[in-house]
């Protein structure tokens, strides 16, 4: 299943930035998976979250509104043959998405387990004004529901705002927003994160060294995400950004609110992408109509895309490099360099059978990577991180949630291959994750504990 | 060792990874259902009655074993359908992955998940301070747990192969043998902490299952010899 991303929508930004629009790259409509995510920034400015879609999306840190937009994945519908090949390479693409999601989750869980800062409750985001320290259960529930409503409405507003901006071609504004947001994310949050990690391990570091490190990290990150850079480096940066955002969320969202928000986000994602009037869907369609490239900062892509006007054959090592040529007449911008895609992650692409590299505007589907919005990354990691932080069954629950999310991702990609249009990446995985979390925590844990204490094995 | 298996044989092919994760998922679901049953049973009974609790635990274990096998069967059905789909999609008319490979991967998936669930909290505790067996329990707790987990993972792998083979060729006796073996191994763990009783027979059973699976997969003594002596 190849999910293309033509439009990546919405990133979540804690601030008012909304980064979800991505223009379609090439005529074939890639399918995006839009995961709209709204992330709220804490006291800091809004971060942009990336939705799960495959495209790079810079995280912008806005003033506290985060809207994650999942990027709907669209698959170009070419001939059947290509479709079959698409499906055939589907497994590879699934793995290409598995690995980054797994990495992100591992980073988040490792941090949660070791650094105590992220599990202390030091206040809440302004988007969740109701505290959960109330004595009665009903009150707490009510507060969490209210928090959720506020957060979701913030996300909706941000997404609609972004769609409007995109519709009226205020590209500069969007770009500026994205850049600001990713700047904030890369520098401020990394600083906080590094500080906490150093504190935990009792490592001394002087300010000049710290400044140098963070400056280098941030500058390279900005370049990688917004401009060009090696694919793996870019992916690594995106993963780190998603992990940072997820950590912020885990820290600043009160417990019950977090779960209710996760549930509500997946419902919203479902609606925003599939309903004809949904903002994300409009975003994707608009972008596709205009055949514009997607904003680089919102989506994680497993294949490289160079926004270049030239068509150079990419015959890099490994698999066949198939590129999409920018047709002069269309002014399409995105080129994929399959060779980069080949050199990434797990496998090199198996050589595509006798596919001539033409200079037509056809995109080879299998050369396109799958795209997942960064917001999806963030929410998956939030779920697993929360499970690691708050579950009393510890690792079992975390593991169960992890497997559940991966299976949900598999299923979503399968549906993507079947339906060939933009799909929300959040609902299925989050549902599975939530179900497994609650059931493992309450049902499986006593069972396993008793078994372990008697050293019985099933 | 299980991790080594994973790295060397499965990590190369994405399809296998998916099957592995799906296998783990199925095991997880079976565990969920069985613990649900057990939980209900415990809640419905008297929590202070010790022998009853133990009996319920035993019942839960057996039931879980049966459920695991049932889920293995369901997974087999699913994989059959998937193979047909893959054959239809592939270019040269034959599936990129054979049912035996799938059996192997599914077994590893089950095994990994069950091993992980059994061991991981234990491992996390080993990082912390403490003395093993301070209350008069055996001091070999961790060691035996590790060995037991390993044998169980391997057993799941072999059972996967045997089970799928039995389903393929309609050898019902193979399937029942697998189920009986699983029950036997679980039952043996009831002898803990009398480790002699549980570990040794488990390893014997594993050796039996290993040879059986090996023979089923088309190996023979000659192959083994050639492999060991590094003949070309």
């Amino acid at each position: 299943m190849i999910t293309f991303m033509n439009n990546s929508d919405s990133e979540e930004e804690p601030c008012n930035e909304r980064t979800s629009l991505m223009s379609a790259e090439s005529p074939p409509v890639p399918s995006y998976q839009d995961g709209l995510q709204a992330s709220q920034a804490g006291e800091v400015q809004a971060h942009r979250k990336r939705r799960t879609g495959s495209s790079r999306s810079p995280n912008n840190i806005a003033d506290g509104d985060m809207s994650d937009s999942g990027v709907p994945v669209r698959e170009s519908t070419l001939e059947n043959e290509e479709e079959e090949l698409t499906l055939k390479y589907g497994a590879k693409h699934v793995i290409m998405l598995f690995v980054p999601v797994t990495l992100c989750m591992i980073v988040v869980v490792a941090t949660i387990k070791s650094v105590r800062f992220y599990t202390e409750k030091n206040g809440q985001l302004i988007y969740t004004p109701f505290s959960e320290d109330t004595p009665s259960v009903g009150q707490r529930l009510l507060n969490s529901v209210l928090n959720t409503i506020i957060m979701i409405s913030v996300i909706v507003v941000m997404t609609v705002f972004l769609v409007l901006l995109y519709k009226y071609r205020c590209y500069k504004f969007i770009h500026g927003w994205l850049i600001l947001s990713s700047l904030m994310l890369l520098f401020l949050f990394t600083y906080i994160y590094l500080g906490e990690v150093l504190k935990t391990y009792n490592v001394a570091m002087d300010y000049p060294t710290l400044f140098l490190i963070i400056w280098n990290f941030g500058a390279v990150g900005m370049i990688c995400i917004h401009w060009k850079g090696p694919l793996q480096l870019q992916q690594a940066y995106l993963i780190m950004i998603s992990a940072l955002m997820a950590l912020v969320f885990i820290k600043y969202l009160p417990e019950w609110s977090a779960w209710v928000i996760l549930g509500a986000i997946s419902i919203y994602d479902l609606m925003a992408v599939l309903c004809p009037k949904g903002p994300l869907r409009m975003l994707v369609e608009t972008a596709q109509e205009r055949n514009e490239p997607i904003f680089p900062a919102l989506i994680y892509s497993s294949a490289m895309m160079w926004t270049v006007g030239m068509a150079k054959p990419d015959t890099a090592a490994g698999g066949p490099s198939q590129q999409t040529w920018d047709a002069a007449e269309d002014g399409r911008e995105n080129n994929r360099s399959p060779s980069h895609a080949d050199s990434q992650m797990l496998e090199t692409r198996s050589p595509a059978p006798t596919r001539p590299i033409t200079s037509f505007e056809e995109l080879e589907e299998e050369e396109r990577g799958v795209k997942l919005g960064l917001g999806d990354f963030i929410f998956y990691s939030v779920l697993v991180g929360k499970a690691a932080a708050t579950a009393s069954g510890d690792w079992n629950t975390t593991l169960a949630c992890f497997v559940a999310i991966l299976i949900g991702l598999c299923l979503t990609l399968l549906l993507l291959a079947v339906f060939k249009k933009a799909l929300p990446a959040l609902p299925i995985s989050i549902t599975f994750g939530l179900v497994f979390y609650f059931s493992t925590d309450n049902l499986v844990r006593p069972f396993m504990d008793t078994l372990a204490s008697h050293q019985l094995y099933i | 060792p299980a991790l080594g298996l994973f790295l060397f044989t499965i990590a190369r092919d994405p399809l296998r990874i998916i099957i592995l994760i799906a296998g783990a998922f199925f095991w997880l679901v079976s565990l969920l259902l069985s613990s649900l049953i057990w939980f209900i049973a415990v809640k419905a009974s008297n929590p202070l009655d010790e022998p009853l609790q133990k009996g319920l635990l035993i019942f839960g274990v057996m039931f879980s074993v049966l459920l695991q096998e049932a889920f293995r069967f369901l997974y087999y059905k699913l994989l059959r359908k998937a193979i047909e789909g893959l054959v239809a999609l592939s270019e040269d008319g034959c599936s990129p992955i054979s049912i035996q490979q799938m059996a192997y991967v599914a077994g590893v998936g089950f095994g990994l998940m069950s091993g992980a669930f059994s061991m991981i909290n234990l491992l996390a505790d080993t990082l912390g301070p403490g003395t093993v067996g301070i209350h008069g329990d055996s001091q070999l707790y961790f060691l035996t747990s590790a060995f037991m987990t390993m044998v169980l993972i391997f057993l799941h792998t072999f059972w996967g192969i045997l089970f799928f083979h039995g389903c393929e060729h309609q050898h019902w006796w193979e399937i029942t043998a697998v189920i009986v073996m699983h029950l036997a191994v679980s039952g043996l763990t009831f002898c803990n902490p009398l480790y002699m009783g549980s570990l040794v027979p488990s390893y014997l059973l594993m050796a039996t299952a290993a040879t059986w699976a090996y023979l089923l997969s088309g190996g023979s003594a000659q192959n083994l010899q050639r492999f060991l002596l590094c003949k070309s």
Side-chain angles (χ1 to χ4, degrees):
Chain A
M1 309 166 267
I2 301 185
T3 54
F4 301 111
M5 291 223 328
N6 280 334
N7 300 318
S8 36
D9 282 344
S10 60
E11 293 177 317
E12 291 181 359
E13 301 177 282
C15 303
N16 300 311
E17 296 173 348
R18 207 187 290 195
T19 56
S20 34
L21 287 178
M22 305 252 268
S23 47
E25 306 148 354
S26 48
V29 178
S31 24
Y32 292 105
Q33 282 179 326
D34 279 339
L36 270 183
Q37 301 158 347
S39 39
Q40 300 178 345
E43 315 86 9
V44 300
Q45 317 200 315
H47 297 276
R48 262 196 299 188
K49 279 204 208 171
R50 298 165 189 267
R51 290 183 299 175
T52 52
S54 17
S55 35
R56 305 173 295 163
S57 43
N59 284 332
N60 292 333
I61 299 183
D63 293 322
D65 288 334
M66 291 209 283
S67 47
D68 284 331
S69 43
V71 178
V73 185
R74 288 199 209 167
E75 287 188 301
S76 51
T77 44
L78 297 181
E79 310 123 13
N80 277 348
E81 192 184 67
E82 290 183 353
E83 287 175 16
E84 279 181 11
L85 277 165
T86 302
L87 285 174
K88 182 176 178 185
Y89 287 108
K92 196 186 307 183
H93 293 286
V94 172
I95 298 301
M96 287 201 290
L97 276 189
F98 267 11
V99 176
V101 172
T102 313
L103 278 180
C104 193
M105 288 199 237
I106 288 180
V107 168
V108 169
V109 170
T111 313
I112 293 270
K113 287 287 184 194
S114 54
V115 178
R116 205 103 50 74
F117 170 73
Y118 286 104
T119 43
E120 297 163 1
K121 296 214 51 62
N122 267 345
Q124 295 184 205
L125 298 178
I126 58 175
Y127 300 106
T128 54
F130 296 98
S131 149
E132 282 196 7
D133 282 333
T134 55
S136 76
V137 173
Q139 180 78 0
R140 190 173 188 183
L141 198 59
L142 182 67
N143 278 351
S144 51
V145 170
L146 286 176
N147 278 342
T148 311
I149 293 180
I150 294 180
M151 177 88 92
I152 298 282
S153 46
V154 163
I155 294 178
V156 172
V157 163
M158 296 302 301
T159 313
V160 170
F161 185 51
L162 192 60
V163 173
L164 284 179
L165 280 182
Y166 191 69
K167 250 185 160 27
Y168 293 119
R169 302 180 185 262
C170 311
Y171 292 141
K172 287 243 179 329
F173 190 77
I174 296 182
H175 273 299
W177 188 3
L178 283 178
I179 289 182
L180 202 62
S181 160
S182 48
L183 208 71
M184 164 78 91
L185 193 61
L186 276 178
F187 285 109
L188 184 66
F189 279 179
T190 315
Y191 172 68
I192 294 179
Y193 178 74
L194 263 185
E196 290 306 320
V197 168
L198 291 177
K199 251 190 251 176
T200 308
Y201 290 110
N202 223 3
V203 173
M205 184 181 278
D206 50 327
Y207 275 116
T209 315
L210 189 69
F211 174 68
L212 204 64
I213 292 180
I214 290 191
W215 169 252
N216 281 343
F217 180 76
V220 175
M222 289 298 291
I223 294 179
C224 251
I225 296 175
H226 290 272
W227 195 47
K228 294 188 214 167
L231 181 70
Q232 281 179 321
L233 197 59
Q234 186 192 0
Q235 290 169 333
Y237 266 104
L238 290 180
I239 294 179
M240 282 197 279
I241 285 187
S242 311
L244 283 177
M245 267 318 298
L247 284 172
V248 166
F249 268 167
I250 295 176
K251 178 174 171 59
Y252 285 114
L253 283 181
E255 287 214 18
W256 288 18
S257 302
W259 299 115
V260 182
I261 284 179
L262 277 177
I265 285 272
S266 32
I267 298 180
Y268 167 67
D269 196 24
L270 199 64
M271 290 190 336
V273 173
L274 294 180
C275 292
K277 275 303 177 185
L280 287 182
R281 189 185 179 126
M282 288 188 343
L283 206 63
V284 172
E285 283 168 4
T286 318
Q288 281 176 347
E289 281 165 28
R290 299 188 194 162
N291 283 335
E292 286 167 350
I294 303 172
F295 284 122
L298 290 175
I299 298 186
Y300 177 92
S301 82
S302 47
M304 180 69 117
M305 284 183 345
W306 295 102
T307 56
V308 175
M310 54 189 164
K312 50 177 185 190
D314 199 333
T315 49
S321 316
Q322 307 202 346
Q323 263 180 331
T324 56
W325 307 95
D326 280 349
E329 52 269 50
D330 296 32
R332 265 178 268 143
E333 292 178 15
N334 301 319
N335 264 348
R336 297 187 181 241
S337 53
S339 55
H340 282 273
D342 285 337
S343 55
Q344 47 143 329
M345 299 287 167
L346 276 183
E347 312 193 7
T348 56
R349 298 166 188 268
S350 45
T354 64
R355 205 164 268 251
I357 297 184
T358 63
S359 36
F360 299 157
E361 288 107 51
E362 295 167 356
L363 273 182
E364 305 298 348
E365 278 136 65
E366 60 268 18
E367 291 311 335
R368 291 200 223 167
V370 179
K371 295 189 188 176
L372 200 61
L374 280 191
D376 296 339
F377 272 85
I378 297 184
F379 277 121
Y380 292 159
S381 310
V382 166
L383 196 141
V384 176
K386 267 281 185 222
T390 65
S392 33
D394 270 355
W395 293 94
N396 277 348
T397 323
T398 315
L399 201 59
C401 287
F402 169 69
V403 172
I405 288 183
L406 283 188
I407 293 288
L409 195 61
C410 254
L411 283 178
T412 314
L413 288 176
L414 198 65
L415 284 183
L416 194 65
V418 168
F419 283 122
K420 293 197 182 8
K421 43 180 233 167
L423 283 185
L426 280 183
I428 300 182
S429 289
I430 300 267
T431 317
F432 274 3
L434 284 178
V435 162
F436 269 82
Y437 170 73
F438 284 115
S439 49
T440 312
D441 199 25
N442 297 327
L443 295 177
V444 176
R445 195 179 36 88
F447 189 43
M448 292 307 289
D449 284 345
T450 331
L451 282 184
S453 63
H454 293 275
Q455 221 178 6
L456 300 175
Y457 281 87
I458 57 169
Chain B
L3 202 58
L5 261 185
F6 170 70
L7 282 178
F8 284 125
T9 57
I10 297 188
R12 303 272 162 228
D13 189 5
L15 199 55
R16 299 190 199 168
I17 295 188
I18 299 180
I19 300 181
L20 180 93
I21 303 275
F25 180 69
F26 271 78
W27 186 89
L28 200 60
V29 174
S30 86
L31 178 68
L32 202 69
L33 287 179
S34 49
S35 57
L36 178 68
I37 307 274
W38 178 79
F39 193 71
I40 295 178
V42 165
K43 285 297 179 194
S45 69
N46 184 5
L48 294 179
D49 192 359
E50 264 298 322
L52 180 61
Q53 292 296 312
K54 194 108 200 281
L56 271 184
L57 199 60
I58 296 182
F59 161 71
V61 168
M62 294 301 170
F63 194 73
S64 165
V65 166
L66 291 175
L67 262 185
Q68 278 180 43
E69 298 303 325
F71 269 84
R72 211 196 291 268
F73 184 66
L74 280 179
Y75 195 42
Y76 165 75
K77 285 273 184 225
L78 185 69
L79 283 182
R80 289 282 293 167
K81 289 220 187 87
I83 269 205
E84 286 159 22
L86 280 177
V87 167
L89 283 181
S90 79
E91 296 186 319
D92 42 1
C94 67
S95 157
I97 187 169
S98 77
I99 188 77
Q100 281 147 338
Q101 285 178 333
M102 277 204 197
Y104 165 68
V105 174
V108 174
F110 269 58
L112 270 183
M113 205 57 190
S114 86
F117 260 68
S118 314
M119 270 308 276
I120 210 151
N121 276 334
L122 224 55
L123 284 175
D125 284 339
T126 56
L127 289 177
T131 316
V132 183
I134 199 169
H135 282 268
D137 296 319
S138 161
Q139 283 182 326
L140 296 171
Y141 187 69
F142 285 135
L143 270 184
T144 45
S145 301
F147 277 114
M148 195 66 203
T149 311
M150 189 177 82
V151 82
L152 203 61
I153 297 181
F154 282 146
L155 273 176
H156 270 293
T157 314
F158 299 133
W159 285 333
I161 300 181
L162 295 174
F163 196 87
F164 278 40
H165 185 260
C167 289
E168 280 283 320
H169 300 272
Q170 310 276 311
H171 291 165
W172 301 121
W173 57 277
E174 278 188 12
I175 300 180
T176 37
V178 168
I179 300 182
V180 164
M181 249 200 281
H182 197 169
L183 281 174
V185 168
S186 289
L188 283 175
T189 59
F190 290 140
C191 307
N192 282 339
L194 184 67
Y195 292 128
M196 264 313 170
S198 66
L199 269 186
V200 173
S202 309
Y203 271 91
L204 288 179
L205 276 178
M206 183 189 87
T208 325
T211 35
W212 193 0
Y214 185 65
L215 289 173
L216 277 185
S217 312
S220 67
Q222 287 171 330
N223 277 353
L224 197 58
Q225 224 172 10
R226 284 215 323 246
F227 168 72
L228 284 177
L229 297 179
C230 293
K231 292 209 191 113
S232 61

